[in-house]
DNA sequence: GTGAGCCTTCAACATATGTTTAAGTCAAGC
DNA sequence: GCTTGACTTAAACATATGTTGAAGGCTCAC
């Protein structure tokens, strides 16, 4: 069993995930990623950090807030396994589809409802 | 043919759409809705204003910005007809589904790509 | 053990999305 | 004609999502 290695610095994770170092610190402050500290108080991340950030950026595009994403990621254990990521993926997709369904439903209802925002296909 | 009537005040539209009067002014500033002015410089909206706002609120939930929504609504003529709303609805749904597809695609790709964010179903 | 290049925190700034408040205008009923 | 209530603009405030800059500390390769 390999112990989780917290070897990445802020700039490592920034480079791996394609965001600015300031964003990496921001995501840590808001619980999207977590870090341990070195004796000299520097952050060290494990390999899942860059992954969490990349997923978070895509999730933000479907309307999820950083807080909501952090809440969903709370289900990920330390050293997440593929199955853990799978459950998170399912949750994220369900949320995105739910919001799209709400949009479709609202737009569809417009068609039916009297003179209220009449709509046609 | 009925000429479009700009009869609603800010508070009328706020009540009809379920947002605060300040939000109605905000959406006008950002092009989500448009108004004419009375001789006394007060805003008057047509019946589509409350509808635009309600649709905008649902669209924001799938990640569209106010700017993006205003751009999509730019396709609506004065006194929009059901068919006009239908085209806007199609555009909004396509955008929402595109973003959800991007999320799914990204999460799905994670599964395949080596040791990069391994994921399993 | 030292210098270059990271890292730290904190505060200010920037943009998006609004709300609140202040000071003043306008319309309508009494 | 005066009061009342809704309207106007402008600025300040609030939250979310970051970026930038200053002042200083840590690490690693040499």
């Amino acid at each position: 069993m390999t112990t989780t290695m917290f070897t990445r610095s802020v700039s490592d994770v920034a480079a791996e995930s394609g965001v600015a170092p300031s964003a990496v610190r921001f995501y840590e402050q808001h619980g999207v990623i977590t870090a341990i500290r070195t004796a000299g108080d520097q952050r060290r991340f494990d390999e899942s950090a860059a992954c969490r950030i990349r997923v978070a950026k895509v999730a933000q595009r479907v309307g999820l807030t950083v807080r909501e994403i952090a809440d969903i990621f709370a289900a990920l254990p330390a050293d997440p396994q593929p199955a853990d990521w799978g459950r998170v993926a399912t949750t994220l997709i369900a949320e995105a589809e739910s919001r799209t369904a709400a949009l479709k439903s609202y737009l569809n209802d417009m068609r039916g409802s009297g003179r209220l925002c009449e709509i046609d296909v």
Side-chain angles (χ1 to χ4, degrees), chain A:
Chain A
M1 161 210 163
T2 305
T3 301
T4 303
M5 298 299 278
F6 286 87
T7 57
R8 280 99 169 149
S9 68
V10 166
S11 64
D12 289 340
V13 172
E16 268 186 78
S17 62
V19 304
S22 61
V24 173
R25 296 189 184 94
F26 178 85
Y27 290 130
E28 191 217 2
Q29 278 171 13
H30 292 82
V32 172
I33 55 179
T34 55
I36 60 167
R37 296 293 179 129
T38 66
D41 204 33
Q42 296 194 0
R43 292 170 185 84
R44 289 296 180 268
F45 302 91
D46 68 16
E47 62 179 357
S48 81
C51 184
R52 282 168 175 249
I53 290 176
R54 284 191 305 261
V55 171
K57 294 309 284 183
V58 185
Q60 281 180 287
R61 286 278 295 172
V62 298
L64 290 149
T65 65
V66 166
R67 164 67 76 95
E68 289 166 339
I69 293 163
D71 287 349
I72 290 170
F73 283 179
L76 287 175
D79 195 16
Q81 298 304 300
D84 299 314
W85 274 114
R87 280 186 286 276
V88 165
T90 299
T91 303
L92 291 172
I93 291 167
E95 185 60 34
E97 292 190 331
S98 165
R99 291 177 187 208
T100 299
L103 174 67
K104 285 172 145 180
S105 170
Y106 185 77
L107 292 172
N108 196 55
D109 286 353
M110 280 171 62
R111 291 233 305 297
S113 62
R115 261 223 64 70
L116 186 63
C117 290
E118 278 179 307
I119 196 172
D120 194 25
V121 176

